[in-house]
């Protein structure tokens, strides 16, 4: 993305991951039942940590792990799991808004 869209494109991706992280934490903390809260926080943490590890590898700060960038890089099974996680997180946010 940095190669194709430059600094602005790379910063937009970083900003979108930060928004996703903060919004996911907000959803997880506002759910009343404990299971839903842990589920929302866990899914958010799973996707955010994978993104941070991938960005650390790209910058040369971490050793190579082979993790794709969530929702952007082609990862096959990883992409499906991340999309299912985002779907569950969206369902949790709907439950949050209805109460």
């Amino acid at each position: 993305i940095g190669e194709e869209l430059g600094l602005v494109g790379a910063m937009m991706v970083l900003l979108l991951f930060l928004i996703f992280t903060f919004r996911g934490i907000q959803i997880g903390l506002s759910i009343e039942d404990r299971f839903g809260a842990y589920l929302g926080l866990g899914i958010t943490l799973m996707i955010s940590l994978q993104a941070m590890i991938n960005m650390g590898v790209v910058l040369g700060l971490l050793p190579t792990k082979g993790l794709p960038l969530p929702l952007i890089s082609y990862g096959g099974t990883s992409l499906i799991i991340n999309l299912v996680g985002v779907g569950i997180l969206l369902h949790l946010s709907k439950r949050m808004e209805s109460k």
Side-chain angles (χ1 to χ4, degrees), residues 21-39:
T21 302
F22 289 127
R23 186 69 181 129
I25 290 172
Q26 225 177 19
I27 290 169
L29 292 177
S30 65
I31 298 290
E32 299 265 334
D33 65 344
R34 216 182 262 182
F35 178 74
Y38 289 152
L39 183 64

Side-chain angles (χ1 to χ4, degrees), residues 14-25:
L14 183 63
L15 179 68
L16 288 173
F17 273 116
L18 286 173
I19 291 170
F20 177 83
T21 302
F22 289 127
R23 186 69 181 129
I25 290 172

